[in-house]
Amino acid sequence: MNSDNDFSEKDFRNYAEIETRLNVSEEVDTEMRQYRFSNSNDNIFDEFTELENLIPEGSRDLILQSLINDILSTFDDEKLDSWKDDEILLKMAEKANISEDKVSLIATSQKFNHDLMDDKLTRDEYKERLQKIKEISASLGVSSVTSVATLALIGTGGLGLATLGVGAASVAAYKGVKRLIKSNDKESMRSEMLQNKIKKLMGSQSLILKDINYLSDAIIQISYRESELSKQLTDSEQQLSGMEEQIDQLLQTIKKFSSAGTKVDAERRERERQLIIAKLPAQINFEKLHDLVTSHTLGKDIESQILKSYDEAGKLQSGQSLAELEALSKMLDSIEYNKKVTAANAKSVAKSTREKTQNALNSFFKGF
C-alpha cells in the first residue's frame, strides 16, 4: 500500500479482488475505472476523510473496521507479521479510531484464514486458534465472526456496506459463516473459504479484462488523434510527442494488467485444485472400491484409473494436476464412492455405539 498513486501489478490484483468482493453496480464500476486511470493525485488521507463524511450515522465503526480488514486482506504472511511497520496502515487506523489491539486481532485472524485455506492446520490447531481469536475478540468487544470470516468470505460488502444497501447475498453468507464458526467444523469452513476465493478470483479476472479493454480503447483514441495531428501543416511536434508518451505509459500499464491476470488465473486454478482435494477421499478403501466397480460396465477401467491416483498404502498422491483431480472426482462420483463409504461408516459407528451402550447396561444391571 502506498500513497503516491503508483500502482504495481500486485496492487492491481489486490484491487480487483476487493472490488469483486464489494459487488458494485456496472455504473459504479465504470466510474471507479475512469477515476483509477485519471491523472488524479488525490491524497489518500484526504479521500479517507471524504469517505468518513459519506458514512451513515451509527455505522462508522463497523464500516471503518471493515475497511482496515480489506487493507489487511492484501497483505501476505510476511507483511502480516510486520504490520506495525506499515506507516500508512497505522495512520489510517488512527484516523479511523481503531486501536492497535484491534488491528492486531484482524491481522491474527487474517493469518488464521491463510493457514486454514492452505491446509496448514490440524483439527486441534484449528479449534485452538479459533478459540483464542474468540477470546481476544470478546475482550475487545469485537465479533469473532467479523474478525475471522469477514476477509476470507465477505469483506466490506457483507458487513459495513450492508448498511448502505449493498451486498445482500453477502449478508446471507455472513449468517452461514457464523453457523460454521460456531460448529468448529474445519473442513466445511475451509471448503467454504476456497469456494468463495475461487468466485472472487473469477470476478477479478473479469474485472482485469475490462481494464485491459478500457486501456486498449484509450490507445486507439490517442492513436487516432495522433494521426489527425500529423496531417496538419502547423507545428504539432510537441503535442505528438506527448501523445507518444501517453501511448507508451498505457502500454506499460496493459502489460502489468496482463501479468496480473495471468497470476490471478494461476491462483484460481490452484484454489480449485485444493477444493477438489478437500472433497476427495485422502485414503482409499481398496476393498470397498473393488466391490463398487464390480457391477459397473467399465468397472475394471474405472478401478484402474482411480488406483493410479493413490499410492500402495491407499493415500492420495500429491502433485496431481487440476485436470487429473477433476477426472478422479468424476470417476468416484460415477460409482458413488463417497456416498456409499460414508453410509457404511455411519452404520459401523451406529453398531459400535449400540454395542457399547448394551455392554454398559449389562454391566449396570449385573450390580443388582
Side-chain angles (χ1 to χ4, degrees), residues 66 127 130 134 157 179-180 216 261 274 298 320-321 339 343 346:
S66 297
K127 291 178 181 179
L130 182 56
K134 288 178 179 179
R179 174 181 51 77
L180 285 173
S216 298
Q274 291 174 352
L298 302 173
Q320 297 184 70
S321 69
K339 182 179 177 181

Side-chain angles (χ1 to χ4, degrees), residues 24-75:
V24 301
S25 67
E26 283 291 330
E27 182 182 357
V28 172
D29 173 53
T30 300
E31 288 177 359
M32 291 172 74
R33 182 170 293 105
Q34 290 170 347
Y35 176 76
R36 276 204 318 280
F37 296 122
S38 68
N39 293 320
S40 170
N41 287 312
D42 294 339
N43 183 281
I44 188 172
F45 301 112
D46 291 339
E47 292 184 326
F48 181 86
T49 301
E50 286 184 33
L51 173 65
E52 283 187 292
N53 295 331
L54 295 173
I55 299 175
E57 189 176 349
S59 303
R60 183 184 184 281
D61 291 345
L62 187 60
I63 291 182
L64 294 182
Q65 179 178 303
S66 297
L67 176 62
I68 298 299
N69 272 346
D70 281 336
I71 293 172
L72 282 166
S73 76
T74 67
F75 285 23

Side-chain angles (χ1 to χ4, degrees), residues 81-357:
D81 289 335
S82 58
W83 64 267
K84 288 186 178 181
D85 296 334
D86 194 305
E87 294 181 7
I88 295 178
L89 172 67
L90 292 177
K91 191 169 181 180
M92 292 278 275
E94 182 182 358
K95 288 177 72 68
N97 198 28
I98 296 175
S99 68
E100 285 198 12
D101 285 340
K102 285 187 178 180
V103 178
S104 177
L105 171 62
I106 296 169
T108 299
S109 300
Q110 188 64 356
K111 186 75 186 309
F112 170 83
N113 291 336
H114 290 187
D115 289 344
L116 176 58
M117 207 176 322
D118 292 334
D119 204 19
K120 293 180 179 178
L121 303 176
T122 64
R123 289 186 184 181
D124 288 342
E125 288 171 337
Y126 169 79
K127 291 178 181 179
E128 183 181 332
R129 285 177 62 176
L130 182 56
Q131 182 58 36
K132 186 176 179 181
I133 288 172
K134 288 178 179 179
E135 290 171 359
I136 297 173
S137 298
S139 70
L140 296 174
V142 179
S143 163
S144 59
V145 178
T146 301
S147 60
V148 176
T150 300
L151 298 176
L153 298 174
I154 306 163
T156 309
L159 296 173
L161 292 185
T163 61
L164 302 178
V166 178
S170 294
V171 176
Y174 174 80
K175 293 178 180 177
V177 172
K178 188 175 181 180
R179 174 181 51 77
L180 285 173
I181 289 177
K182 285 184 175 179
S183 71
N184 274 337
D185 187 342
K186 175 204 160 190
E187 284 73 22
S188 296
M189 185 67 170
R190 179 169 181 262
S191 177
E192 191 74 17
M193 282 187 172
L194 286 170
Q195 289 181 60
N196 278 275
K197 183 69 173 179
I198 290 166
K199 288 178 184 176
K200 290 175 203 165
L201 291 169
M202 290 174 68
S204 297
Q205 284 182 283
S206 175
L207 192 67
I208 287 172
L209 183 59
K210 286 181 181 179
D211 286 339
I212 290 175
N213 289 338
Y214 178 87
L215 293 169
S216 298
D217 287 342
I219 288 177
I220 292 170
Q221 290 175 25
I222 294 172
S223 297
Y224 176 77
R225 291 201 304 272
E226 182 182 35
S227 175
E228 290 301 304
L229 274 174
S230 65
K231 295 175 184 178
Q232 295 178 15
L233 297 175
T234 55
D235 184 13
S236 56
E237 287 185 10
Q238 190 172 357
Q239 292 183 59
L240 288 171
S241 176
M243 287 182 171
E244 288 173 1
E245 187 177 336
Q246 276 184 289
I247 290 174
D248 190 52
Q249 288 175 348
L250 288 170
L251 286 171
Q252 292 303 316
T253 304
I254 286 178
K255 285 181 182 178
K256 287 183 182 179
F257 270 105
S258 179
S259 179
T262 300
K263 289 182 179 178
V264 166
D265 183 60
E267 184 180 357
R268 176 189 60 79
R269 293 179 65 80
E270 176 57 24
R271 293 304 183 188
E272 287 181 346
R273 207 178 139 274
Q274 291 174 352
L275 182 60
I276 293 174
I277 290 173
K279 294 179 179 179
L280 289 171
Q283 182 84 33
I284 200 78
N285 184 320
F286 292 122
E287 185 178 350
K288 191 65 182 176
L289 173 64
H290 187 71
D291 290 342
L292 288 172
V293 299
T294 50
S295 60
H296 200 286
T297 308
L298 302 173
K300 287 185 178 180
D301 290 335
I302 290 175
E303 184 178 25
S304 174
Q305 290 299 318
I306 289 174
L307 290 177
K308 287 180 182 179
S309 295
Y310 290 86
D311 62 21
E312 293 180 357
K315 291 183 178 181
L316 184 65
Q317 298 196 57
S318 61
Q320 297 184 70
S321 69
L322 175 60
E324 289 170 333
L325 291 169
E326 286 175 334
L328 173 60
S329 179
K330 288 178 181 177
M331 285 187 286
L332 288 169
D333 286 344
S334 72
I335 59 173
E336 297 185 319
Y337 178 88
N338 287 328
K339 182 179 177 181
K340 297 291 176 61
V341 170
T342 300
N345 289 341
K347 288 180 181 178
S348 177
V349 170
K351 181 181 178 183
S352 175
T353 302
R354 284 196 302 270
E355 289 176 350
K356 288 178 181 178
T357 303

